[in-house]
Amino acid sequence: MIEHLYIENVALIEKINIEFNKGLNILSGETGAGKSIIIDSISFATGQRPGKDFVKKNASKALVELIIFIENDFVVDEIKKFGIEIDEDNCVLISRSITSAGKTTSKINGKNVTVGMLKEVSAFLIDTHGQHEYQSLMNPVKHIGIVDNFCGDNFIKFKEKLSERYRDYKNILKSIKNIDGNEKEREMKTESYQFQIEEIDMANLRENEEEELLLRRKVLSNSEKLKEHSRRVLSLLYRDENGSVSDKVSSALDSLFEIARLDPEQKELCSELEGISAELEDVVERINIYADSIESNEAELEEIEERLDFLYRLKRKYGKDVKAILNYSKELKKKLDAILNSEEELIKLTEKKKNAENEIRKICDLISGERKNAAEKIQTSVEKTLKELGMKNAKFKVDVSRKNEFTTNGRDKIEFLISPNLGEDLKPLAKIASGGEMSRVMLAMKVILADADTVETFIFDEIDTGVSGRTAQQVAQKLSDLGKKRQILCITHLPQIAAMGDSHFLIEKTSDSSSTTTNIYELDYKKIIHEIARLTGGVEITEATLKAAEEMKRLALELK
């Protein structure tokens, strides 16, 4: 409930503090006193867009603050989900300001919040209904939520079960989607994968094949040069007519042996040179063998060129080298296996999907049954209440129809229909022209659904539009009944409603030579009687109107 309202520099208001109470809080005042400014200020604080003259003339900034006490633990938990800290006193401070240039700042418990977040949080706390502010009733999308609030524990269990089954169903759809495309796409991919795998397998690739072929091609392409250089090496080492390396080493070794005979300490040098001589003989022998093996082989060279050309074509298609091509082939085989296995998996998933849909539809039928039962109760109660509120010939219907698709909210489409007068067809509430009729429908709904609604403060701006006499008394009684369960702020001009108030606030406008200001005061019992008398008799208040007002208040207290 709203415990405190602070308004500064809004329209004609300079600065006011209001302490509201539990139950039915009446706000009244003469026409033009500024009653709507109070409601507009609360609407602004809860995230609504202000009017163009919202900031007081010559003021740099307007400020509205609300201190709201929350009794419902569910609401406390929901608000905490927005990251807003709430103290043990379960109070929320909403503060919103706007500069003369139109820049707004919004805070909840000192934390800066967006307008969107402010609206979401406020929706748990305050429900404002002005003469033309009935979005929840006007919008058919909201109707299903209103009916759901009237359903019982079984409905909650069914919704939880539906949510669980729907989550499983979405996972099945995701698994089906993850399987490569539709049947035609899978067939095309299967043929493509099989062709590529066969082409790579038939190539009989080896990882280092390309490097080996390149090396072999280099040798075959340069066979004549290799032969020429081999002969030259042999000539220099072994066959040179002017003295080969081998001959010179042999002569050097003979001289070294003579040195060692004369100087035995040099025998080690003889051994080393002998080793060199033996290695030289080995090199000569190996070069001889290599020279004999060199041959020109045009046929082999042609085969190598063809093989390399084939490898280049494969590389352009499947990878940068043979290793990459082989890895690509492995991946293709995995994909092919997945597609081949997916046919069987798809059959299983399709069956699961069918079973899940059947189960969800059964749960949706149970949910629809609960909603239809609730709809019948709402219809009966609303019609009864509307009759009590003066709409004697009104017909009210909660139309529950079925949609083809289902969601976590079931398969139902719900819309409120009404025939306000005898002989008129049932039509959507949005087509009702009378603000007074809409006010009474809203009041009837709020009275009926008060126990299910978690919002603790309802604000009604001139809900009494278009009513008088006995109907006014019935509206007053319903507001009083609602006030026993919720905090109500009600702007009214009817004495019958004012008399039923638990608290009464007077909004008045005062002027001096330079300015006009709106103020609000809580009235004591004597002043309440005076205000009821004013509402009853107009500007002139007589002893008779005061006596009638006191009698009206006394009877109201007896009815409460």
Side-chain angles (χ1 to χ4, degrees):
M1 58 170 271
I2 299 175
E3 290 190 338
H4 183 85
L5 170 64
Y6 175 75
I7 305 173
E8 181 180 336
N9 292 332
V10 172
L12 297 176
I13 295 174
E14 189 172 297
K15 188 181 294 184
I16 61 172
N17 286 282
I18 313 170
E19 302 286 342
F20 289 116
N21 305 303
K22 289 184 177 181
L24 178 57
N25 293 262
I26 298 297
L27 290 80
S28 67
E30 294 183 0
T31 301
K35 297 186 292 295
S36 62
I37 299 175
I38 305 299
I39 304 304
D40 289 345
S41 296
I42 295 174
S43 296
F44 169 72
T46 55
Q48 301 307 310
R49 187 191 297 268
K52 62 177 182 178
D53 296 324
F54 188 77
V55 180
K56 184 176 176 63
K57 186 178 179 180
N58 298 324
S60 61
K61 183 176 74 171
L63 171 67
V64 181
E65 291 184 339
L66 290 172
I67 296 178
I68 301 173
F69 172 69
I70 308 171
E71 294 184 10
N72 193 311
D73 290 337
F74 167 79
V75 174
V76 172
D77 292 338
E78 288 299 309
I79 293 176
K80 284 181 177 178
K81 290 178 182 178
F82 290 92
I84 295 169
E85 296 294 328
I86 298 180
D87 295 335
E88 294 179 357
D89 59 3
N90 277 14
C91 281
V92 169
L93 170 62
I94 294 177
S95 175
R96 193 172 186 219
S97 63
I98 181 171
T99 66
S100 56
K103 182 180 179 181
T104 63
T105 303
S106 306
K107 294 183 179 182
I108 302 178
N109 283 357
K111 177 181 178 179
N112 286 324
V113 295
T114 63
V115 174
M117 186 186 295
L118 179 61
K119 288 181 179 179
E120 288 188 67
V121 171
S122 298
F124 287 103
L125 305 172
I126 300 172
D127 199 352
T128 302
H129 304 288
Q131 188 175 342
H132 303 291
E133 296 174 313
Y134 297 95
Q135 291 89 348
S136 59
L137 278 185
M138 299 278 277
N139 185 356
V141 175
K142 303 287 186 179
H143 295 175
I144 193 168
I146 294 173
V147 173
D148 288 355
N149 284 339
F150 205 74
C151 296
D153 293 338
N154 284 337
F155 176 81
I156 295 172
K157 292 177 183 177
F158 295 151
K159 282 292 292 291
E160 289 174 350
K161 191 173 182 181
L162 174 61
S163 180
E164 182 182 334
R165 294 294 180 271
Y166 188 79
R167 185 168 56 250
D168 294 340
Y169 175 71
K170 294 297 284 186
N171 287 334
I172 293 171
L173 293 182
K174 185 178 179 180
S175 297
I176 291 174
K177 186 178 180 181
N178 286 339
I179 292 176
D180 255 354
N182 56 37
E183 185 176 349
K184 186 176 180 181
E185 289 173 341
R186 289 197 300 276
E187 184 178 338
M188 291 174 61
K189 287 182 179 181
T190 298
E191 291 178 359
S192 175
Y193 293 164
Q194 286 175 334
F195 172 80
Q196 293 178 75
I197 290 168
E198 287 174 7
E199 185 175 29
I200 295 171
D201 285 349
M202 289 176 65
N204 293 318
L205 300 175
R206 292 179 290 106
E207 274 200 20
N208 297 319
E209 180 181 10
E210 186 178 8
E211 290 79 3
E212 293 171 0
L213 289 171
L214 289 171
L215 182 60
R216 182 60 179 159
R217 184 181 68 173
K218 189 175 183 180
V219 170
L220 290 174
S221 300
N222 295 281
S223 59
E224 292 302 321
K225 288 183 179 180
L226 291 173
K227 285 180 181 180
E228 180 184 343
H229 286 294
S230 296
R231 287 193 294 268
R232 186 166 182 273
V233 169
L234 287 171
S235 174
L236 290 170
L237 293 179
Y238 194 66
R239 299 171 185 166
D240 193 346
E241 294 177 358
N242 297 320
S244 66
V245 172
S246 180
D247 290 339
K248 291 178 179 179
V249 170
S250 179
S251 297
L253 189 58
D254 289 341
S255 296
L256 196 56
F257 275 128
E258 185 63 26
I259 290 171
R261 185 178 66 79
L262 298 173
D263 185 359
E265 289 184 1
Q266 305 306 318
K267 284 183 179 181
E268 188 176 345
L269 288 174
C270 292
S271 298
E272 290 179 7
L273 190 56
E274 277 184 312
I276 292 171
S277 179
E279 288 180 5
L280 185 59
E281 292 294 331
D282 181 60
V283 169
V284 169
E285 183 179 356
R286 287 162 59 190
I287 290 175
N288 261 318
I289 295 171
Y290 174 72
D292 292 340
S293 70
I294 296 171
E295 59 182 12
S296 297
N297 190 334
E298 292 298 329
E300 183 184 0
L301 183 59
E302 187 176 345
E303 288 177 4
I304 289 173
E305 293 290 358
E306 289 177 357
R307 181 65 173 174
L308 285 171
D309 185 58
F310 176 64
L311 291 179
Y312 292 152
R313 291 199 304 272
L314 288 181
K315 284 163 61 178
R316 283 197 298 270
K317 292 170 70 175
Y318 304 126
K320 63 178 182 179
D321 53 33
V322 172
K323 184 177 180 180
I325 295 171
L326 293 173
N327 287 335
Y328 178 70
S329 178
K330 289 179 183 177
E331 292 300 317
L332 286 180
K333 289 174 181 176
K334 288 180 182 178
K335 290 181 179 180
L336 181 60
D337 287 342
I339 291 176
L340 296 175
N341 293 331
S342 71
E343 296 295 337
E344 183 178 350
E345 180 66 17
L346 186 60
I347 293 172
K348 292 179 181 178
L349 288 171
T350 303
E351 185 65 22
K352 278 187 178 181
K353 175 176 173 284
K354 181 180 177 181
N355 293 336
E357 287 173 343
N358 290 335
E359 187 174 1
I360 287 173
R361 288 191 182 97
K362 289 178 182 178
I363 299 172
C364 287
D365 288 342
L366 294 172
I367 289 172
S368 294
E370 291 290 317
R371 282 173 172 155
K372 287 174 181 177
N373 290 336
E376 289 179 7
K377 294 176 184 178
I378 292 171
Q379 285 174 187
T380 302
S381 299
V382 169
E383 278 193 7
K384 179 177 179 292
T385 305
L386 288 176
K387 284 178 172 59
E388 294 171 351
L389 294 174
M391 297 176 68
K392 295 181 179 180
N393 296 314
K395 296 291 182 184
F396 185 82
K397 179 178 176 59
V398 181
D399 184 58
V400 182
S401 59
R402 172 163 289 184
K403 299 184 292 186
N404 292 327
E405 70 281 1
F406 52 76
T407 66
T408 51
N409 207 24
R411 298 177 65 188
D412 300 315
K413 178 183 177 183
I414 295 180
E415 184 168 12
F416 297 157
L417 307 176
I418 192 169
S419 168
N421 303 303
L422 194 65
E424 292 185 13
D425 294 332
L426 286 163
K427 295 179 181 178
L429 285 180
K431 296 187 180 296
I432 295 178
S434 167
E437 288 171 341
M438 185 63 81
S439 297
R440 280 174 277 176
V441 173
M442 174 61 76
L443 179 58
M445 294 295 294
K446 287 302 176 184
V447 169
I448 293 164
L449 299 174
D451 289 334
D453 203 328
T454 57
V455 176
E456 297 173 1
T457 297
F458 296 152
I459 300 175
F460 294 102
D461 184 2
E462 299 192 13
I463 196 171
D464 50 22
T465 299
V467 300
S468 59
R470 179 173 173 77
T471 301
Q473 185 58 49
Q474 292 293 345
V475 170
Q477 186 62 58
K478 294 301 178 187
L479 285 169
S480 178
D481 292 343
L482 191 56
K484 294 171 184 176
K485 300 175 181 179
R486 296 289 185 271
Q487 181 191 49
I488 310 296
L489 273 59
C490 179
I491 290 181
T492 186
H493 64 275
L494 290 181
Q496 295 95 325
I497 294 176
M500 295 296 288
D502 299 300
S503 304
H504 196 132
F505 297 84
L506 177 66
I507 301 166
E508 65 177 8
K509 184 166 61 176
T510 58
S511 300
D512 56 26
S513 58
S514 60
S515 64
T516 301
T517 305
T518 291
N519 289 293
I520 182 170
Y521 311 95
E522 184 173 4
L523 303 179
D524 57 22
Y525 181 81
K526 184 177 180 180
K527 289 180 179 178
I528 289 174
I529 299 301
H530 190 276
E531 178 62 8
I532 293 173
R534 185 191 68 79
L535 293 171
T536 303
V539 177
E540 187 177 352
I541 299 174
T542 65
E543 287 297 324
T545 55
L546 285 171
K547 187 175 181 179
E550 191 167 8
E551 179 64 14
M552 187 179 292
K553 184 64 179 178
R554 184 186 66 78
L555 290 172
L557 291 173
E558 290 177 1
L559 290 171
K560 292 182 72 67

